[in-house]
Amino acid sequence: MEFVATELPGVLLIEPDVFPDPRGSFQEVWRRERYADAGIPAQFDQDNLSRSHRGVLRGLHFQEPGGQGKLVLVLSGAVFDVVVDVRRGSPHFGRWLGTVLSAENHLQLWMPPGYVHGFCVLSDDADFLYKCVGAYRPEDEHTIRFDDPDIAVDWPVSDPILSDKDRAAPRLCDAPVLPVFQR
């Protein structure tokens, strides 16, 4: 298993060991000690599973106060996964990272609190698993526009299927609340 640092501090791309054989394959999805050694908290409070269809875009979402760290992976299908640093005062404020996560490549992505998250579905369907540090609190949920020109995510979908909440989301510059960068 390899934990790869990205250009966004604290955000890790995880390449698990996959053991194929004639029956299929086996992999460890999470082991407390290994992830804790890589700086990922050993305590998850909530697991979420979403199923989405091709062209669905979910995001960009975050929770403040009480930000959530998230370990995400795709169980079936493929998504383009995006993380954006929105911590006020961060030297990486507004920068984004995008990567394809799929059942085929087995990659996982860890993002600590202070980042917004979203994804769009590239396959016919995708089952997306979130392991969350910190429980979901709807009163603290916030959304940033997926197509905010100040962030300029290069989404691989031209006419995404959005929820009403995501369609009405403010731009980053108009966000009512943002996490604060902690040195």
Side-chain angles (χ1 to χ4, degrees):
M1 177 167 294
E2 189 173 349
F3 295 85
V4 180
T6 69
E7 61 265 22
L8 294 178
V11 177
L12 300 173
L13 189 63
I14 301 149
E15 301 173 3
D17 295 324
V18 179
F19 303 97
D21 67 26
R23 302 167 296 165
S25 66
F26 175 85
Q27 75 181 66
E28 233 175 50
V29 173
W30 182 77
R31 184 192 292 189
R32 179 180 37 228
E33 306 84 34
R34 281 192 184 170
Y35 285 69
D37 288 347
I40 297 172
Q43 178 66 46
F44 288 100
D45 298 301
Q46 182 174 335
D47 285 356
N48 301 320
L49 177 64
S50 71
R51 170 166 274 211
S52 304
H53 310 297
R54 183 183 300 278
V56 166
L57 193 152
R58 296 181 184 264
L60 299 164
H61 303 149
F62 69 106
Q63 189 168 284
E64 184 64 29
Q68 290 181 299
K70 296 177 184 171
L71 176 66
V72 298
L73 61 137
V74 172
L75 301 175
S76 68
V79 307
F80 181 69
D81 196 70
V82 171
V83 180
V84 184
D85 186 347
V86 296
R87 300 169 298 160
R88 287 198 191 282
S90 167
H92 298 86
F93 183 80
R95 287 189 47 202
W96 64 276
L97 168 75
T99 190
V100 173
L101 303 178
S102 71
E104 222 172 85
N105 69 20
H106 306 282
L107 295 175
Q108 300 175 7
L109 193 68
W110 162 255
M111 67 213 72
Y115 290 89
V116 297
H117 175 252
F119 66 90
C120 68
V121 179
L122 305 173
S123 53
D124 287 341
D125 294 292
D127 290 323
F128 192 88
L129 179 67
Y130 311 68
K131 293 185 75 57
C132 300
V133 175
Y136 172 68
R137 293 194 316 261
E139 66 275 12
D140 295 336
E141 183 182 30
H142 302 281
T143 305
I144 302 294
R145 275 195 74 79
F146 79 96
D147 60 353
D148 184 330
D150 294 331
I151 300 172
V153 174
D154 187 14
W155 295 102
V157 60
S158 58
D159 189 22
I161 301 163
L162 301 166
S163 70
D164 290 342
K165 176 182 71 175
D166 290 349
R167 189 175 289 105
R171 290 178 53 183
L172 180 57
C173 63
D174 297 322
V177 62
L178 290 173
V180 176
F181 176 66
Q182 305 287 326
R183 292 195 187 275

